[in-house]
Amino acid sequence: MQTALLIEQLLNGIQFGVMLFLMAAGLTLIFGVMGLINLAHGSLYMVGAFACAWVAAATGSFWLGLLASLVAAAAAGAIVEMTVIRRLYGRDHLDQVLATFALILIFSEATRWVFGSFPLYLNIPPLLGGAVALPGGVHYPLYRLAIIGVGLAVALGLYLLISRTRLGMRIRAGESDREMIGALGVDIRTLYTIVFALGAALAGLAGAMVGALQSVQVGMGEPVLILAFVVIVIGGIGSIKGAFVGALLVGITDTMGRLLLPQMLAAIIGPAQAAGIGAALASMLIYIVMALILAVRPKGLFAAQA
Amino acid sequence: MKKILAASALALGLGVSATAFAEPVKVGLITTLSGGGAGLGVDARDGFMLAIKLSGATDIEVVTEDDAMKPELAVQIADKMIQSDKVDVLTGIIWSNLAMAVVPNAVAQGKFYLSPNAGPSPLAGAKCDKNYFNVAYQNDNFHEAAGNYAQTEGIKKMFILAPNYPAGTDSLNGFKRFYKGELVGEVYTKLGQTDYAAEIAQIRASGADSVFFFLPGGMGIAFMKQYAQSGVEIPVMGPGFSFSQDVLGAIGDAALGAKNTASWSPDLDNARNKEFVTAFKAEYNRLPSIYAAQAFDTGSLIAAVAAKTDVKDADAFRAALEAADFQSVRGKFKFNTNHHPIQDFYVREVVKDADGVLTNKIIATSFTDHEDAYAKDCKM
């Protein structure tokens, strides 16, 4: 039974990590290419979830909702980039943080205005419902396996996009020298909008997939945003590979910590206190890991540029 | 000139004497209107305002502010309401960590605080105050009722789960006070956590006969949906918060049949409750939750007391609050010596009503005239 539990928790950790990767990939791309700190990334995650829940409720199809989440988040991202974000590239990080924080408030209140304060209903499509038996006596929800699959596919797709395509080449060029590729005649404004919309679409996709699993409500993006920042700091800002490794590290550390820390403490101080102290320590664990990694590698695991 | 002065002095005198008996009461309502906990706060606000409206009182002024579920913000708002809005009575807080930050400070400044929800154990026991009244419950109560139910049902192995904050520890302590069977797991999660895969895996491995969980608001929605998908077949139960009207719609059919305990239910059979449920549906076009019901009682109590006594006469106002002479949606209502209610607790089951809407129905009574465990520590 104990091995089955460990395997299940490992899968949980990977699933959580993969979901974080979808958030962190957009965040790190936007920071890497445009040098912009986008606090409103969590709002795009929320936009995706609400679009999915609304369309799924109206049409009865989760899949149409999933498509809507991609379109809505990408569109919201593109509009925000063209109207607000574009004015922030030349400014320092404090102005960017201030403006994108304002965007969080605007998005949250607008969503509350349109959809109300109560959580929306969004359920898993029947096709992916229930649990499947895996080798080793493990039962695991099919939907979570699907999230792992989608996350890995997106990671592979992003890798190919960045290393094999012309767009990817421009993104890499933009990361190393923004002024130079503008001077070489690349339409940098369109490139920025595309990268921003791509990041937004990934966040929206994550929001929709997780919304079906958790609850679709205003403010759902901010807790994830904090973890996504932890991920890109650990992975090295601007690096997709770093985001992937960092996301899995955070996901697995957090999940395993929540299981193992209370159990380990219980052997020392008795189960009653261990439950409370262990839970408190487990929620600190990823930040401790981040601090340790930064102490050894101040620029993160895979720093994008020297 | 003299004439005018005399006239205005007379007018002032008349004015004072005319209003002396019905001094307007200013109420500060601090509750969660944004973020993940907003559903609870909106229900509390709507229930409270409905009570004031139905009472027909014209001399109660309510100032409402959003605490965003943040203790530091709630403290700032309370200070502002006391100092610049000059409120007489504060109310509205949903979350115990916020209540612990606001209440001691407010009552120390001579203001009344009436809690429509949060009932942390210190405020019921050693740190109780003559100006603090809890109209809802002491935090442990619903969970004690659930523990008692699990015990009388003869459930042998329980797995219990709550968030790591004052009401969470109160919850599990309350459950354990009446449940004497074996605990195969006791887990505290992070407040606001939305992914419970790790906990559900532990439940699967625990071999429990039943799961008791206290996860209010969005946390409970996430837990129930994930639990339904996990393939774990162990039945779940919880306090009324985990299956309250504000979350049932988002959980969906996964909640059907779940047992939960509360001091109130929409089908509770008394005239005042019928009036409340009908009026709430007519006004807001949804069924009220437990938070709305408790806030409605808080509003009714303030309106009833304000109609009889002057809020500036703190001793008379307090005595009138203690008498609690108002119509409660819970049928009967009485304060204990520590200003917390003595009331009945019911076991409810999640069912579908005639319109196909998920709601709760009373199936049994867990406690009659139940008092909280901390009243003896309260020296007033």
Side-chain angles (χ1 to χ4, degrees), chain B residues 189-202:
Chain B
T189 61
K190 205 165 73 183
L191 187 63
Q193 182 175 323
T194 47
D195 197 304
Y196 293 93
E199 288 74 19
I200 291 169
Q202 283 170 267

Side-chain angles (χ1 to χ4, degrees), chain A residues 1 5 8-9 12 15-16 109 112 117-124 128-131 139-144 210-219 223-224 227 254-255 258-259 263 271-272 275-277 279-280 283 287, chain B residues 33-40 42-43 46 66 164 176 186-190 192-202 204-206 217-219 221-223 225-226 228-231 246-253 286:
Chain A
M1 207 61 203
L5 178 63
E8 188 175 349
Q9 296 291 32
N12 285 335
Q15 180 259 312
F16 183 37
E109 285 316 303
R112 184 190 320 288
S117 299
F118 293 91
L120 255 54
Y121 175 79
L122 174 64
N123 213 350
I124 293 166
L128 295 176
H139 289 266
Y140 201 68
L142 188 57
Y143 187 75
R144 286 185 190 268
V210 168
L213 206 55
Q214 302 179 355
S215 71
V216 179
Q217 58 185 5
V218 175
V224 191
L227 290 177
D254 188 55
T255 310
R258 266 152 60 194
L259 171 73
Q263 289 189 358
I277 298 174
S283 56
Y287 302 101
Chain B
L33 302 173
S34 65
L40 287 65
V42 167
D43 253 14
D46 290 352
D66 173 22
N164 198 6
K176 289 187 283 186
E186 179 178 354
V187 171
Y188 287 99
T189 61
K190 205 165 73 183
Q193 182 175 323
T194 47
D195 197 304
Y196 293 93
E199 288 74 19
I200 291 169
Q202 283 170 267
R204 191 201 305 273
S206 70
M219 295 182 274
I221 300 172
F223 177 82
K225 282 165 76 175
Q226 292 162 31
Q229 289 300 326
S230 68
D246 56 304
V247 296
L248 284 179
I251 296 176
D253 290 352
R286 62 175 195 269

Side-chain angles (χ1 to χ4, degrees), chain A residues 58 79-80 103 111-112 116 121 152 155 159 163 166 198 219 231 261 271:
Chain A
I79 292 169
V80 163
L103 282 176
T111 311
R112 184 190 320 288
Y121 175 79
L152 293 179
Y159 169 75
S163 61
R166 180 160 291 267
L198 177 68
V231 165
L261 268 180

Side-chain angles (χ1 to χ4, degrees), chain A residues 97-112:
Chain A
V97 165
L98 204 61
T100 51
F101 185 71
L103 282 176
I104 294 185
L105 301 179
I106 292 168
F107 268 108
S108 292
E109 285 316 303
T111 311
R112 184 190 320 288

